[in-house]
């Protein structure tokens, strides 16, 4: 969000286009490439710092955090730039500094769009499968810490659906239903918060 604020209100015009292109490029990189990068950079760092194999829940968290950044930055920037300029000019006219006008007036006015960007990022993170499978360790156990291996619900479906049958297959379909309900709950909560802000 701070990157979006920087892009909208602080970034020099000469380099804004370059930064914008970089953010768009990050958004367009296939998830499997992110997975390969994490496998070669993040996993060895975790292995060196904490021991073990390095394939862990922490590696997946770092990977997903980086993957959703372009989505959150781009949508938040659009929300900030769509706020009428009169809000900013009015705050400046009342004696606010540039920083105060941006963070106390414009950012709250764009909060609905910024929240939408976060929800979109979370949605992408929840649905991500292949990149996470490469770095999380793919062990069907409940992790006791961030440096332990684990398996996500999406990875569980992809890994086992090919040979599942009967009750096993039904359980995997139920896992998909749980994911769907989880996303639905997140969107309902978002809409409730959005409606409260409007009121």
């Amino acid at each position: 969000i701070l990157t979006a604020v920087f892009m909208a209100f602080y970034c020099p015009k000469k380099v804004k286009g370059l930064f914008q292109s970089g953010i768009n490029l990050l958004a367009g990189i296939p998830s499997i490439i992110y997975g390969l990068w994490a496998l070669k950079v993040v996993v060895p760092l975790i292995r060196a710092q904490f021991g073990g194999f390095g394939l862990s829940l922490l590696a997946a968290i770092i990977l997903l955090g980086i993957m959703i950044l372009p989505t959150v930055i781009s949508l938040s920037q659009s929300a900030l730039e769509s706020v009428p300029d009169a809000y900013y000019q009015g705050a400046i006219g009342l004696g606010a500094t540039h920083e105060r006008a941006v963070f106390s007036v414009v950012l709250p006015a764009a909060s609905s769009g910024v929240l939408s960007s976060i929800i979109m990022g979370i949605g992408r993170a929840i649905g991500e499968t292949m990149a996470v499978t490469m770095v999380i360790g793919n062990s069907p156990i409940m992790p006791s810490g961030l440096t332990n291996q684990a398996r996500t619900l999406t990875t569980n479906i992809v890994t086992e659906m090919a040979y599942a049958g009967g009750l096993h297959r039904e359980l995997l379909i139920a896992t998909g239903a749980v994911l769907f309900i989880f996303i639905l709950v997140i969107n309902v909560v978002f809409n409730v918060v959005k409606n409260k802000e409007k009121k």
Side-chain angles (χ1 to χ4, degrees), residues 55-132:
L55 300 169
S56 62
L57 192 59
L58 180 60
I61 290 169
I62 293 170
L63 169 63
L64 288 174
I66 293 170
M67 285 181 68
I68 68 173
L69 276 176
T71 302
V72 176
I73 292 170
S74 297
L75 294 178
S76 295
Q77 183 183 346
S78 297
L80 289 165
E81 290 175 346
S82 67
V83 174
D85 193 49
Y87 284 44
Y88 174 81
Q89 296 297 339
I92 294 295
L94 290 170
T97 61
H98 176 64
E99 287 73 23
R100 195 168 189 82
V102 169
F103 287 98
S104 298
V105 177
V106 180
L107 187 56
S111 60
S112 178
V114 171
L115 189 59
S116 296
S117 73
I118 294 169
I119 297 296
M120 290 285 288
I122 291 172
R124 182 182 180 188
I126 291 172
E128 185 53 53
T129 305
M130 296 313 297
V132 173

